[in-house]
Amino acid sequence: MLSDTASSCCSAEGDACCGHGSDFEEVTMLADAPLEAPSAGDLQPGEARSVFRVDGMDCGECARTVQRVMHKLDGVREVAVSFNTTKMTVVHTAALDAIQKTVSDVGYRATVLDTTLQDPGVPVQANGDTAQPSYWERNKRAILTAVSGLFLGAGLLTEYASWSELLSIIFYTIAILTGGFYAARAGFYALKSFTLDMNFLMTVAAIGAAAIGEWSEGATVVFLFSVGNWLQASTMERTRRSIRSLIGFAPKEALVRRDGAERTIPVDDLRIGDLILVRPGERIPMDGTVQAGSSTVNQAPVTGESIPVLKQQGDEVFAGTLNETGGLEVIVTKKVQDSTLSRMIYLVEEAQEQKAPSQQFVDRFATYYTPIVVLLALLIAVLPPLFTGDPFSEWIYRALALLVIACPCALVISTPVAIVAAIGNAAKQGVLIKGGAFLELMGRIRAIAFDKTGTLTQGKPVVVFVEPFQGTDKARLLTLAASIEARSEHPLARAITKLSAEQGIRQLPVQQFQAVAGKGAQGQIDGSLYRIGKPSWMQELGYAGTEKLKTVLSVQHEQGRTVMLIADERQVIGLIAVADTVREDSEITITRLKQAGIAYTVMLTGDHARIAKSIAQQTGIGEYHGDLLPEQKLARITELKQRHRLVAMVGDGINDSPALAASDIGIAMGGAGTDIALETADIVLMSDDIGKLPFIVRLSRKALRIIKQNIWFSLLVKLAFLLLTVAGLSNLWMAVFADTGAALLVILNGMRLIKQR
């Protein structure tokens, strides 16, 4: 049955590197873009597609170095290395050991995550995550750095105590060899690739310092460089753990009941339709539907919800969530690679690999910066002594310092660290941001458009007002209405039967039930005829409206509610009003959005204008438009973009997907239960919680501020030391300290986004 005002209700170890080489453009081809993973059909006979985690990388040039050497390995057809996620994807016929050794040769460690073979074309999980490297493998960079520091200290003590010049040189040499081993090795591979990376530049600086007799300077440069890279790698690894922590939530095994027997099997062997048993305190191994049992489930890993949710028969559950109080029997509905958690992790990692606009600018800048500064260093080493008569050693020293400054490490890392930290933190809070570009864009948004049904409102009609007439009490009125509506599946009917069930009202038998399409329903109860339906239907049947009824109808219509009248054979005996109620946190969310800097909010809905007005007044929305067809919503979005330049649209990602696509940022709610939202929206709220919107705005704005701070800080530090070095007011160890220190400060500044709540 429908009403005149019915609302719409159906709706590691290894050397780090920092510089960009002069052939940057050539090697950027796949370094930061995810490899289009070939399917089994794309692989040629005998080939495999393997995914590795590469530990020890601390900037984009590290990824490019690994990619360059891998391209030259026999038996490798395609390779892509992502610095942000530390993943390397290889299409190859070469042995896995050969690939790992090649990566190890340039100073990094590759761990196999999984391998897909051409025949039979299925993934083969590797033991890479479970195999524990030795203490030396985990800490050799730190150990060699510590040894370098000890011998540097011994050399300085020997030199300043004037004990033995030869002994101090020996100590400095050992410090250079231990601290610079990985840099020299990586620099050698960079030289073979005709690339001026930081490892090569630092090695030249150290050797040059020793060649002109500045042994202490050379050893200090190597030690500081080694310490800085170790700290950078460690802090970047902490940043990346934000998304890796999600992977640990998914169980590796599941207790399944097949053919009447229970046994534990790997989750990879689960089939759709399997019955899995989940005990209290265990994590649910796979997405599915509860067949039996009742329990509260902590869904924080997927949705970010802090309060456990009650799950009963027919409810959907997600892999990686924690079953708390009772046993559950769950029918598997998805394969392991298609689970909500797996797809969320994949989409987040893919998002972290994408370059933000600011990162693209930095990369273009670095393309020209490094070769220009290297050329300047060469000119300074040669030209001034020829014209001034100064000793060459003095100007060579300044040139060596310039080589150190030629590394744009802090600048290059300024954007990725913030992007990785922000997207990883958002994922842990149940918010999926599809890439750095969307994160930056969200930070500039000043206007947000909202769909109504299911976004600002609950999306389900509930009874909000009951008014009996003619001496009928409220319980009797609900009994009659619920008894007739029990035969209907309409959302408005379900709202009435739900209320009666909550109040413990017993339904009465109904004879001669009849549904009148588009108007209402009727039936006999205890021998008397009763009707429930639209006011216009009652008017057609000749029921008279009292002044009280007219007044109540007018008030309810003004508030945007759907009204149904209940009548016996002679007169109207009551009224029930149903509405799609506003979410409890909608009003406070709009308020917090305004506090966060969103200057303009608007609601776009296909529902009646007076319902839209009522919802807007309850939530504090600044502007509303009702009775909109899909194409009219698109027109409104276009108009808003002309007025406010950048506009975000919030909806459920299903019936409003065209408007989401037309906006600058599409934000979908309830993504944990809908594949469409995960695929189409730019930002997805995994839970059905509009209250996370202010968090997204604050996080994106903070990320944008931090990216700008990092870029400007890095540029100013480089400029300052460039001028100081040319003027002879800086030295080698100061240049290294400034370069490494700036990079560490940039990383630590970006890591503040991990703590944003």
Side-chain angles (χ1 to χ4, degrees):
M1 127 204 62
L2 300 175
S3 168
D4 296 333
T5 58
S7 61
S8 173
C9 305
C10 307
S11 24
E13 298 312 320
D15 186 60
C17 53
C18 315
H20 287 271
S22 58
D23 59 343
F24 175 82
E25 292 291 349
E26 177 183 348
V27 300
T28 308
M29 45 191 167
L30 289 171
D32 288 309
L35 179 66
E36 182 81 22
S39 64
D42 295 325
L43 297 177
Q44 299 174 5
E47 283 189 336
R49 171 190 174 276
S50 299
V51 180
F52 301 79
R53 186 179 70 242
V54 181
D55 295 315
M57 299 191 299
D58 72 345
C59 75
E61 182 61 25
C62 305
R64 281 180 280 276
T65 298
V66 174
Q67 183 162 297
R68 281 191 294 267
V69 298
M70 285 302 305
H71 268 302
K72 296 179 179 179
L73 179 64
D74 290 338
V76 171
R77 180 164 64 90
E78 294 182 26
V79 60
V81 185
S82 168
F83 161 66
N84 288 353
T85 61
T86 70
K87 283 192 174 181
M88 176 176 70
T89 304
V90 186
V91 177
H92 62 97
T93 55
L96 295 177
D97 289 346
I99 293 174
Q100 291 175 301
K101 183 180 183 302
T102 301
V103 174
S104 178
D105 285 343
V106 288
Y108 308 100
R109 185 174 68 247
T111 304
V112 185
L113 299 181
D114 68 80
T115 297
T116 301
L117 304 177
Q118 189 275 336
D119 184 19
V122 295
V124 179
Q125 296 297 322
N127 295 323
D129 278 336
T130 59
Q132 295 296 322
S134 66
Y135 180 84
W136 166 251
E137 289 177 328
R138 295 196 311 270
N139 300 284
K140 56 186 177 182
R141 177 60 187 268
I143 293 172
L144 289 178
T145 300
V147 171
S148 176
L150 288 174
F151 279 97
L152 172 62
L156 291 172
L157 179 62
T158 303
E159 181 179 354
Y160 287 111
S162 301
W163 290 342
S164 170
E165 182 179 356
L166 177 61
L167 184 60
S168 66
I169 292 177
I170 292 174
F171 285 150
Y172 288 141
T173 302
I174 297 175
I176 291 173
L177 292 176
T178 53
F181 172 75
Y182 288 107
R185 186 172 64 176
F188 171 72
Y189 281 97
L191 183 61
K192 289 178 63 176
S193 301
F194 302 101
T195 303
L196 300 176
D197 83 337
M198 189 56 197
N199 294 289
F200 174 74
L201 297 177
M202 196 61 65
T203 302
V204 171
I207 294 174
I212 61 176
E214 298 290 346
W215 288 95
S216 62
E217 295 273 3
T220 303
V221 163
V222 168
F223 173 68
L224 290 176
F225 181 67
S226 185
V227 169
N229 284 338
W230 174 68
L231 289 174
Q232 287 173 215
S234 300
T235 50
M236 276 300 296
E237 184 61 24
R238 282 190 58 194
T239 304
R240 296 182 183 111
R241 285 178 196 153
S242 57
I243 184 59
R244 285 185 188 166
S245 63
L246 294 176
I247 301 174
F249 287 119
K252 302 297 183 185
E253 296 179 327
L255 179 61
V256 63
R257 182 183 295 160
R258 287 178 181 172
D259 302 324
E262 297 179 4
R263 61 178 182 269
T264 301
I265 65 173
V267 292
D268 298 322
D269 295 339
L270 286 174
R271 301 190 296 261
I272 294 177
D274 274 341
L275 178 66
I276 54 177
L277 310 177
V278 188
R279 303 184 184 95
E282 293 182 343
R283 292 196 180 274
I284 297 172
M286 191 49 54
D287 286 13
T289 304
V290 177
Q291 185 184 60
S294 176
S295 177
T296 55
V297 175
N298 186 336
Q299 299 189 138
V302 174
T303 66
E305 295 170 293
S306 58
I307 300 176
V309 179
L310 178 64
K311 297 292 184 178
Q312 298 174 317
Q313 184 178 4
D315 289 339
E316 186 177 18
V317 292
F318 307 112
T321 55
L322 180 64
N323 179 32
E324 293 190 335
T325 56
L328 294 175
E329 296 183 6
V330 178
I331 298 294
V332 175
T333 58
K334 293 182 180 179
K335 295 181 179 180
V336 61
Q337 65 269 26
D338 297 324
S339 73
T340 300
L341 184 63
S342 296
R343 296 185 65 216
M344 182 178 175
I345 292 171
Y346 168 76
L347 290 171
V348 170
E349 290 186 334
E350 188 178 61
Q352 289 178 329
E353 291 175 358
Q354 296 174 2
K355 288 187 178 182
S358 58
Q359 186 177 352
Q360 294 173 2
F361 158 75
V362 166
D363 287 346
R364 287 195 299 269
F365 177 86
T367 303
Y368 303 102
Y369 172 81
T370 299
I372 289 174
V373 176
V374 170
L375 178 60
L376 180 62
L378 290 174
L379 295 176
I380 285 179
V382 176
L383 295 182
L386 295 178
F387 291 99
T388 64
D390 293 335
F392 274 91
S393 60
E394 177 184 339
W395 289 97
I396 289 175
Y397 183 85
R398 296 186 190 184
L400 293 175
L402 273 181
L403 288 181
V404 175
I405 296 173
C407 167
C409 181
L411 182 63
V412 171
I413 208 171
S414 60
T415 298
V417 65
I419 297 297
V420 171
I423 292 178
N425 180 22
K428 293 176 70 175
Q429 306 299 323
V431 178
L432 174 59
I433 302 176
K434 294 288 193 69
F438 301 123
L439 180 70
E440 287 193 8
L441 196 58
M442 191 66 202
R444 298 186 176 95
I445 291 290
R446 291 293 180 271
I448 299 181
F450 293 86
D451 182 40
K452 179 187 75 68
T453 306
T455 302
L456 294 170
T457 66
Q458 298 287 353
K460 298 177 181 178
V462 295
V463 175
V464 293
F465 184 78
V466 179
E467 180 73 16
F469 303 136
Q470 310 300 335
T472 305
D473 60 53
K474 185 177 293 186
R476 174 65 177 174
L477 187 67
L478 280 175
T479 299
L480 295 171
S483 299
I484 298 174
E485 295 287 31
R487 303 284 190 93
S488 173
E489 290 298 322
H490 193 279
L492 301 181
R494 289 198 296 269
I496 295 174
T497 56
K498 183 175 183 292
L499 177 64
S500 67
E502 290 173 351
Q503 296 187 1
I505 294 175
R506 183 175 60 89
Q507 296 175 6
L508 301 175
V510 178
Q511 287 80 37
Q512 299 181 18
F513 172 83
Q514 181 183 2
V516 182
K519 297 181 178 181
Q522 64 183 29
Q524 288 195 352
I525 301 176
D526 296 332
S528 299
L529 179 65
Y530 292 94
R531 296 185 174 95
I532 178 170
K534 300 167 69 171
S536 58
W537 184 44
M538 298 298 177
Q539 188 175 3
E540 289 177 14
L541 296 174
Y543 287 95
T546 64
E547 288 302 320
K548 181 179 180 180
L549 174 59
K550 292 178 181 178
T551 300
V552 175
L553 275 175
S554 177
V555 171
Q556 297 303 312
H557 285 171
E558 195 63 32
Q559 294 180 354
R561 295 171 175 175
T562 299
V563 176
M564 293 169 285
L565 301 182
I566 297 93
D568 58 19
E569 296 183 50
R570 297 177 293 106
Q571 59 190 357
V572 174
I573 61 174
L575 172 152
I576 295 178
V578 176
D580 181 10
T581 57
V582 173
R583 294 175 182 268
E584 294 180 359
D585 54 353
S586 289
E587 183 179 6
I588 188 64
T589 296
I590 299 300
T591 300
R592 289 175 176 170
L593 284 173
K594 293 176 181 178
Q595 294 171 349
I598 299 300
Y600 184 82
T601 54
V602 60
M603 180 175 62
L604 307 177
T605 178
D607 218 334
H608 295 288
R610 60 172 169 268
I611 295 177
K613 178 182 178 180
S614 174
I615 299 298
Q617 290 174 342
Q618 294 178 62
T619 58
I621 291 282
E623 182 180 334
Y624 63 90
H625 300 278
D627 298 306
L628 296 179
L629 296 174
E631 58 269 24
Q632 293 173 317
K633 281 188 179 183
L634 290 177
R636 289 291 182 183
I637 290 291
T638 303
E639 177 188 332
L640 288 170
K641 289 170 70 173
Q642 293 173 349
R643 288 161 51 190
H644 302 282
R645 198 167 65 86
L646 296 175
V647 176
M649 173 73 186
V650 186
D652 58 15
I654 302 175
N655 55 16
D656 49 16
S657 54
L660 289 178
S663 61
D664 296 290
I665 293 287
I667 305 174
M669 296 178 56
T674 61
D675 292 341
I676 296 177
L678 280 174
E679 296 297 337
T680 60
D682 304 317
I683 298 176
V684 183
L685 307 184
M686 301 301 292
S687 64
D688 202 26
D689 182 7
I690 194 175
K692 292 187 184 294
L693 278 177
F695 162 72
I696 299 173
V697 173
R698 291 195 304 270
L699 179 69
S700 58
R701 276 165 165 63
K702 187 173 183 178
L704 197 57
R705 288 196 303 271
I706 285 177
I707 289 171
K708 290 179 179 179
Q709 291 168 4
N710 286 349
I711 291 175
W712 279 108
F713 174 73
S714 303
L715 289 173
L716 290 175
V717 167
K718 289 297 179 185
L719 178 61
F721 272 85
L722 189 67
L723 297 176
L724 288 173
T725 301
V726 173
L729 300 177
S730 176
N731 53 34
L732 274 175
W733 70 265
M734 287 176 61
V736 175
F737 190 79
D739 179 78
T740 303
L744 288 175
L745 289 175
V746 161
I747 292 174
L748 292 174
N749 193 33
M751 287 180 65
R752 293 194 294 130
L753 292 166
I754 297 177
K755 303 298 182 182
Q756 180 72 31
R757 294 291 180 264

